[in-house]
Amino acid sequence: METTNRIGEKVTVIGLGSMGTAIARALLQKGFRVTVWNRDPSKAAALLASGAIQASNLREALAASSLLVICVADYKVTRQIFGAVPIDSLQGKTVVQLSTGTPLEAREFDAWMQQRGGHSLNGDILAWPRQIGTSEASITISGDGHLFRKHETSLQALAGAVTHVSEEPGGSAVLFSAVMAYLAGNWIGFCHGALICEQEGLRTDEFGKLIANISPMLAAESVHMGEVIQHGDFDDPESTINVTTNDLHLLVQQAGEAGISEELPRFAANLFQRAVDAGYGGQEHAAIIKVMRKPG
């Protein structure tokens, strides 16, 4: 990532958990003048040694900068924090909300800020704290495009890719929710695979390396599935729902034979079987979305 000298530019960071601390540290490293505030002030110690300024209270933190970055547990906590200060404390401020929330919460927060004379950009971090400030991190942002462009250079200090995805305030949270759905399946699936390996005496670290080796294929499959679903073109499969449904029923059988949890394979097999029963068996895997669109 290109390093930009921002010496003297002021940013306030609110929330000093592992991610908030990483955000403040990245800004300090890029030359920003960073004011920090956390409900537990002891968490600021390491940042103070790196040049951060600790606000003695929230009102002081808000007054220190026109650009505020908040990263706390969720939007509910954000509203609790900001709700404790006078309504005019956010007048003219831009809050970059990097806490986790739903699309509706992002929209409501944007309206809440406007009612207080401020502005918001609602964003989501696709990175671990150790990656913040490097080219490995990605951040999506939604909200007013003019406002994003005004602060884009500052936000680029936090990630290699900072992308404005929508003028609509909830757009970033929509994508984050979609990514979380993918990751949840990925994490659960990996752990079930590791369970199979454990039960059969194979090394789980070697299983992890195998998944890493096929990751380019999985990435290409993700692009393909997105295009297929977008255009509704399910009729040119390399592998069909019929074939995979049979494989998944065998996975349920394997779990029973090995004496391990059947929860994941049974869920997957039932979902694919619904697609077969609905007449989609000759189509490709992504066609299961047709039955997912309807209550089971």
Side-chain angles (χ1 to χ4, degrees):
M1 183 193 307
E2 180 181 352
T3 301
T4 305
N5 189 331
R6 311 294 296 179
I7 293 175
E9 187 165 333
K10 297 178 180 180
V11 181
T12 291
V13 176
I14 297 170
L16 298 177
S18 56
M19 189 63 80
T21 296
I23 288 169
R25 184 178 295 114
L27 290 168
L28 287 166
Q29 290 172 347
K30 301 293 167 53
F32 288 81
R33 185 178 179 185
V34 181
T35 298
V36 296
W37 183 85
N38 192 71
R39 287 180 292 185
D40 177 2
S42 67
K43 289 190 174 182
L47 293 170
L48 299 183
S50 298
I53 302 165
Q54 186 169 30
S56 59
N57 55 60
L58 181 57
R59 291 191 66 176
E60 184 178 309
L62 299 181
S65 316
S66 61
L67 179 61
L68 315 172
V69 179
I70 183 164
C71 187
V72 291
D74 53 35
Y75 277 58
K76 298 176 185 65
V77 175
T78 297
R79 293 281 287 268
Q80 290 171 3
I81 289 172
F82 287 156
V85 295
I87 193 170
D88 61 354
S89 298
L90 294 169
Q91 181 79 33
K93 306 294 183 181
T94 295
V95 174
V96 180
Q97 168 65 283
L98 295 179
S99 310
T100 303
T102 68
L104 177 59
E105 286 179 318
R107 295 167 190 136
E108 290 176 343
F109 182 74
D110 184 74
W112 188 84
M113 281 294 300
Q114 291 185 44
Q115 290 169 1
R116 283 151 181 79
H119 310 280
S120 75
L121 291 170
N122 296 290
D124 294 276
I125 299 169
L126 301 174
W128 302 116
R130 66 177 181 274
Q131 296 170 318
I132 295 299
T134 77
S135 60
E136 297 177 351
S138 294
I139 296 176
T140 57
I141 299 286
S142 57
D144 183 89
H146 174 74
L147 194 64
F148 170 76
R149 289 185 290 274
K150 177 180 178 181
H151 297 291
E152 184 175 6
T153 302
S154 300
L155 294 172
Q156 285 173 341
L158 303 180
V162 179
T163 308
H164 183 251
V165 297
S166 176
E167 291 278 341
E168 198 278 304
S172 178
V174 169
L175 288 173
F176 185 78
S177 297
V179 170
M180 278 304 301
Y182 173 83
L183 291 177
N186 177 69
W187 291 326
I188 296 169
F190 185 91
C191 287
H192 185 85
L195 188 60
I196 293 172
C197 292
E198 280 185 343
Q199 193 68 16
E200 298 292 345
L202 299 182
R203 295 178 62 96
T204 58
D205 54 356
E206 293 300 324
F207 169 57
K209 292 175 184 176
L210 173 61
I211 296 298
N213 288 340
I214 66 172
S215 62
M217 178 188 72
L218 300 177
E221 175 70 0
S222 295
V223 173
H224 173 70
M225 288 182 69
E227 292 174 347
V228 163
I229 293 170
Q230 180 66 39
H231 299 292
D233 184 11
F234 303 99
D235 294 322
D236 186 23
E238 289 193 276
S239 178
T240 66
I241 287 177
N242 278 330
V243 171
T244 300
T245 301
N246 185 62
D247 290 340
L248 289 170
H249 284 306
L250 288 174
L251 194 60
V252 176
Q253 179 181 330
Q254 186 277 332
E257 292 170 353
I260 61 176
S261 171
E262 299 180 9
E263 186 174 5
L264 173 62
R266 192 169 294 283
F267 167 79
N270 288 343
L271 180 57
F272 271 73
Q273 187 64 54
R274 281 175 55 205
V276 171
D277 296 343
Y280 307 132
Q283 298 183 342
E284 67 168 86
H285 304 152
I288 64 169
I289 196 170
K290 296 179 182 182
V291 296
M292 293 173 70
R293 287 171 177 151
K294 305 174 184 178

